[in-house]
Each structure stands twice: as C-alpha cells, then as structure tokens.
DNA sequence: GCAAATTAATGATTTATTCAAG
DNA sequence: CTTGAATAAATCATTAATTTGC
C-alpha cells in the first residue's frame, strides 16, 4: 500500500526557485501553453503537474496582493479585519471585504516588456522549434484548465508516440505512479459546503 | 475549415436540455471524468468542449443561487448591495460585505440522494468503459480542470503504449510536448514587482 | 533528543465578480 | 438583457514548522 497517498504537490527548492524567478520576471497568469512548458521544465526537478503550476501562480499572485493590501491598510491606520489566521474560523464579522478591488487598470500596454521577459525565460524551454502560432491578438486564448484537455487530446490524436528519450528518473521522491483517483463521489456540491471541523480549537466557537 | 470565429460556444437546444436535466438531477460540479462523458455525449448534438460544460455548470449554479438570493433579499426588504443589475455600471459603492454568507448549514446529509441521482444520470453515459467507482464516502476528490490533463495523459499512456500490456508505466509522461505557441498576449496582469523571495523554501533541507 | 500537540504556510477548491459577445 | 468566458477572492484541507512535555 502506498505509504504516502501524496495528497498534494510538494515543490522542490529548484522548482520553487524557478517559479519565483518567473514570477519576478513578470509571469502572472500563464496560459495553457505556457503552463505546459513550465510544467515540462519543472518536471525535470520533480514530479509536477500542470495544475500545480496553475495553482501556484494563482495563489502566489493572490497572496502577494493580499500582503501588499494588508500593508497598505496598515499604512492608512486602517485596521484590516480578520485575515490574520483565517484558518477555518472565518468569523464572519460584519466588517469585511476591503474596498479595494483592483478594477482592471485599463492599461494593458507597456508591461508587455515585462511579460516579454517572462516569456524569454519560458521561451528558452521551447526554444526548439515551435511555430509561432499567431492569433493576431483578440483571441488570446488563455489559461484555463480545459484547454489542456483539448491540447492533449489533439496531440494524442495527431501523434501519440512521442517517446521521448529516456531520461533518468530525475528527482522525484520515488513516488512515481499516482493512479489518479478520479473518484467522483459527487457529494461535494450542495448549497454551501463548509463542514469545517478542524482540530483547531479556535473555530467559530 | 469552417472558420468559426467562434467567439463563444452556442449551445443547441438539445444540449441545453440535457444540461438542464442534469442540473435538475442534482449535478452541480461534475469532475473531469464526468465532464468528459458529458462533453462526448453533447458533442453529438453540436460542437462543444469540456470547458463549455464546466463553465455552464459554474454559471448556472451561480446564477440560480443569485436569483434565489435576490428573491429572498427582496422578501426581506433588504437592499442587496450591488446586485441590482450587475451589468457593468453598478457603481461600486464602498459598502459591501453582504452579511449573508451561508455560513455552513451544518446539515450535509440527506442530499446524498439527489447527488446520487445526478450520478446516476451521468453514470449512464460512462457506463461503458470505466470501472465502477465505489463511492463509499469520505474521499470525494473532485472535479477540477487540470485533472483532465492527468486523466488524458494517463489514458494516453495506457493506450498508446500498446494497449493490453498491463504494466503500469511509472514515469511522469508529459515530457513529449515541446512545441507550443506560447503566444504571450499577457495583457491582463498587473506588474507587481515586489521582490519577494521568502516563502518557506531554502530552509535547511 | 524525540514524538505528540499547535500553529503557520500554502496547495487545492469553490464561490463571487466582472467582462463582453449575441 | 441574457449568458458564456475569465479572473480574483474566499475558503478548505494538508503539509511543514514550531512548541511543549517527557
């Protein structure tokens, strides 16, 4: 029996380093293609999946913003509500939701440079022979999960024996196979899930 | 190629009917496997992708709840904040934080039935090739986009290899892909050049 | 020194909000 | 106005740090 069901991804220092570097370079919400590149690269340092990369950027971005926001709040002397240890208590105080909402800064230009840098970093990975499929602009399909399905499926359809070479088992903490659960058991939706019962005694009392 | 500028998916009546039926049956957030089934089924009635199904359920659920909430709010005479016509010109007032937050109804039982029905419905679709998942309880892993990649990849791995073998390839597959558009178009992020390199990493290891 | 109990981080999901095509 | 699509915020859940008692 699997001693470690490995519930969640545990990034290696190298992976983390690369991700942070990318973030610093300006990458914030990579699209499906980019995510695949990144994933492929990071896979050399340990087991990883596309969703991990996706989530990482989501969380990192969100939490950076959160910290920043909190700090700014402090500057204003505004006591930002809760947030401290929202472990599971959530303590729904009537005060919440900081007024800031970042309403689309209307300026989606110029930082293109920054993005370019990030691209560069990622680009190296794909600097092999990718056809620059240009969609002009508009269409800018982006990063969402399902894209992957399409992509992979397509690929599968086109050519599935990519084989690859045979690189040694890099770093993965020998937990190789995963046997994706795919367990449905759809009992997860419903009006509002919460059922928080963390051992933390600090819960909502 | 029917250049379908296809900015967005346009569900056919049949598709919509089926989706609604499923929703009524209790399906709310299908997981990747289910979504694939549903997509495959609906594809018979028109072009459709997994993400369409995903989004449809997301939106439908959210909007049903929204409507409901709005109605309830009306009943109470409570002026629900910024909800009137969330068109886009709702003048975001600084006042928000709806007191209501559905704080765990503490009753996560009995709707099992409903869910089960939904399952059943979907089950029909997939009742052909997958192994019967035993829903026992607990672990209810679910539905998220990236799962798809994993799933498909796994499938690919198992199928492409030779189909029949029966040896669990224990190597992180996705390594074959390398060429991808990577069209940045990252016109959506906001630069956040906050040098950060803390996190937990580096520690002793 | 170590292992159980707490606390803090952070990966993974779900929900709410927003934008824009039709 | 309706609703598909996309993103951000909030939340949940698990792992790693840290503390505490022996």
């Amino acid at each position: 029996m699997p001693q470690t069901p490995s519930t969640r991804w545990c990034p290696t220092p190298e992976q983390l380093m690369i991700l942070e570097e990318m973030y610093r370079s300006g990458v914030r919400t990579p699209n499906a293609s980019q995510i695949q590149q990144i994933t492929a690269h990071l896979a050399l340092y340990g087991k990883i999946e596309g969703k991990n990369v996706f989530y990482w950027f989501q969380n990192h971005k969100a939490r950076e913003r959160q910290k920043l926001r909190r700090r700014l709040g402090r500057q204003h002397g505004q006591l930002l509500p809760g947030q401290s240890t929202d472990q599971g208590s959530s303590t729904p105080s009537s005060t919440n939701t900081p007024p800031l909402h970042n309403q689309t800064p209307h300026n989606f230009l110029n930082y293109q440079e920054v993005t370019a840098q990030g691209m560069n970093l990622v680009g190296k990975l794909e600097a092999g022979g990718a056809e620059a499929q240009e969609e002009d602009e508009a269409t800018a399909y982006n990063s969402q999960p399902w894209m992957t399905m399409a992509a992979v499926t397509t690929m599968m359809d086109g050519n599935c024996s990519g084989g690859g070479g045979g690189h040694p088992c890099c770093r993965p903490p020998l937990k190789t196979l995963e046997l994706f659960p795919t367990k449905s058991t759809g009992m997860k939706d419903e009006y509002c899930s919460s059922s928080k019962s963390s051992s933390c005694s600090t819960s909502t009392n």
Side-chain angles (χ1 to χ4, degrees), chain A residues 51-122:
Chain A
K51 67 167 187 172
N52 303 128
V53 174
F54 174 75
Y55 287 140
W56 189 90
F57 276 100
Q58 288 279 101
N59 282 318
H60 199 70
K61 178 168 57 173
R63 281 168 180 146
E64 280 298 313
R65 185 178 293 174
Q66 187 182 76
K67 279 187 205 165
L68 216 60
R69 193 139 64 184
R70 178 131 48 132
R71 272 187 113 69
L72 287 177
R74 277 265 176 93
Q75 262 192 1
H76 263 220
Q78 276 277 57
L79 235 295
L80 283 226
Q83 212 77 16
S84 48
T85 53
D86 50 296
Q87 195 83 350
S89 19
S90 56
T91 334
S93 310
S94 304
T95 38
N96 229 328
T97 318
L100 274 194
H101 214 167
N102 223 352
Q103 192 67 14
T104 309
H106 287 293
N107 59 346
F108 12 80
L109 351 92
N110 55 11
Y111 61 72
Q112 172 116 21
E113 280 187 62
V114 187
T115 307
Q117 283 197 0
M119 266 315 48
N120 191 2
L121 209 164
V122 177

Side-chain angles (χ1 to χ4, degrees), chain A residues 135-149:
Chain A
E135 285 267 274
D136 255 355
E137 38 178 327
T139 337
Y141 259 150
N142 42 20
S143 55
Q144 209 56 346
W146 302 104
M147 289 295 138
T148 323
M149 176 158 77

Side-chain angles (χ1 to χ4, degrees), chain A residues 18 22 34 36-42 44 119-129:
Chain A
I18 296 173
M22 284 182 178
Q34 294 173 294
Q36 296 212 41
Q37 309 294 333
I38 298 170
T39 303
H41 187 195
L42 294 183
L44 297 173
M119 266 315 48
N120 191 2
L121 209 164
V122 177
K124 275 183 182 168
L125 300 175
E126 69 165 337

